[in-house]
Structures are given as structure tokens and as C-alpha cells.
Amino acid sequence: NIRAHSVLAQTRRTFSDIEESVVDQINKARTNPILFSQELDVKCRNAQEEYKIPNQSKKALEAIRQRIKNYTEATDYLKRRGNPVAPLQQSIGLSLACRDLLCNIGAI
């Protein structure tokens, strides 16, 4: 099975680039929620400017509206929470279990 071979090859690297990236972003939010909320504020303002661009499809405008809503909700949550917490640690066992599940359901 090509997918299983690809997953097996990926496990030799320990964590994939996407896993590293997701954990890095989560840890940025956990360890410095105020700074991370400020970064999201910038992304939200950029999306608001993007929304003003004329001649966009309804689908594109809806996607931009959803991004603005998501940025706003995340920013509000992080500002309310405020206090930093310890970063997450990656677990090879959990990562491998997730990869197995994805293979089993045909997602990879």
C-alpha cells in the first residue's frame, strides 16, 4: 500500500512539518497569549481590507467573513484568558496513533 509506505516513511522523521507547525502555533498562543492575539488582530485587519476589494464572488466574501469571525473569536478568547500556560510537548505515540487512524479511514 503506497499510503501506508508513505506514513511509515514519515514516522522515521518523527514528526511531520505540519505537526511541527501546528504545535508551534498552539505553543505560541499558550505561552504568550497577548502577543499571539495581537498577531491575530493584524490578520483580522488584513482580512477586513481584503473584504473591501470589489468584484469578489459570494463564496470568496463568505470565506473572508468567516476568517474575520474566527480571528475575532480567537483574539477575544486569548485576551480574556491572558495568563500564559506551559507549552505542549509532542508525543510520538499519539502522533503515530493519529497517523494509523488517518490510514484506516483512507484520509492519507
Side-chain angles (χ1 to χ4, degrees):
N1 184 333
I2 293 173
R3 285 187 216 150
H5 182 268
S6 173
V7 170
L8 185 58
Q10 189 68 252
T11 61
R12 291 188 183 109
R13 286 184 46 208
T14 310
F15 298 106
S16 70
D17 291 341
I18 189 107
E19 288 170 316
E20 294 281 348
S21 179
V22 167
V23 171
D24 286 346
Q25 291 299 306
I26 291 170
N27 282 337
K28 281 175 66 175
R30 289 174 61 88
T31 59
N32 197 339
I34 299 302
L35 179 62
F36 196 76
S37 72
Q38 291 168 348
E39 291 175 14
L40 292 178
D41 276 337
V42 170
K43 290 181 179 189
C44 186
R45 284 193 301 277
N46 290 340
Q48 289 167 338
E49 289 302 314
E50 184 182 351
Y51 188 80
K52 296 175 186 176
I53 297 172
N55 301 323
Q56 296 189 66
S57 69
K58 288 182 181 181
K59 187 175 182 178
L61 290 171
E62 181 54 37
I64 296 167
R65 272 194 298 271
Q66 188 61 51
R67 281 196 346 251
I68 293 169
K69 180 179 179 248
N70 293 344
Y71 289 141
T72 302
E73 287 178 11
T75 300
D76 291 347
Y77 172 78
L78 290 168
K79 287 177 180 175
R80 277 193 320 272
R81 194 183 92 202
N83 296 328
V85 295
L88 296 176
Q89 304 251 335
Q90 288 179 294
S91 164
I92 189 65
L94 288 175
S95 181
L96 291 174
C98 289
R99 290 178 195 171
D100 284 346
L101 175 64
L102 291 172
C103 274
N104 290 341
I105 65 172
I108 57 174

